[in-house]
Amino acid sequence: MTSRRFRLIRHHDVSGVSGTGPVAEGVQFTDGAVALRWYGDYPTTTVWDGIESVVAIHGHGGATEIEWLDPEQAPDPELKLPPRETLPPRPWPDLHSAPEPQDPDPLHHEPDRGSYGGAPPSGWSLYRVFR
């Protein structure tokens, strides 16, 4: 199996943002992961764990469908990838374990540091502030 291209076709614009017709294009990689690129005034690229996640979030109960541009292919016998369902789950909260700040925007609202300056609060790591 190789990467497989698709488009999202929106029949009804539930959000009122993207319009109808082709609204995004994407590719499903050999391991099942998906990269999705949105059309429009503010193009955005997102990455998903699988096509099922894309449909669950953006399908809106059938208002948007996947149009495959490439035929489905058989698995590549030379490629030894573990099936996605055997990989351990990685829930989003565990991906970034840095503590959340108390003030949602401390770099811009600390009265004693001016509007845009100073060091981050002592409880913050540099990873959290400058990533």
Side-chain angles (χ1 to χ4, degrees):
M1 181 177 156
T2 60
S3 300
R4 188 176 180 204
R5 299 171 304 142
F6 67 91
R7 293 191 307 178
L8 285 185
I9 307 297
R10 185 149 286 162
H11 303 292
H12 174 68
D13 187 4
V14 175
S15 67
V17 174
S18 57
T20 58
V23 294
E25 62 187 41
V27 62
Q28 182 179 39
F29 298 100
T30 304
D31 69 351
V34 171
L36 183 65
R37 180 72 177 173
W38 291 93
Y39 303 143
D41 294 337
Y42 303 99
T44 306
T45 303
T46 56
V47 179
W48 299 87
D49 62 345
I51 198 70
E52 299 82 10
S53 297
V54 173
V55 172
I57 298 299
H58 298 295
H60 301 291
T64 302
E65 295 180 332
I66 302 290
E67 175 188 61
W68 292 103
L69 302 175
D70 298 319
E72 187 170 8
Q73 298 176 356
D76 183 345
E78 295 183 24
L79 189 60
K80 305 294 183 210
L81 292 175
R84 289 198 57 78
E85 57 272 6
T86 65
L87 299 175
R90 294 187 64 190
W92 285 106
D94 291 343
L95 294 178
H96 304 290
S97 59
E100 291 296 322
Q102 297 300 316
D103 181 349
D105 196 6
L107 294 179
H108 300 111
H109 291 98
E110 291 189 62
D112 59 336
R113 297 194 188 268
S115 61
Y116 281 100
S122 61
W124 276 30
S125 70
L126 290 178
Y127 173 78
R128 177 72 177 141
V129 176
F130 300 107
R131 62 180 168 148

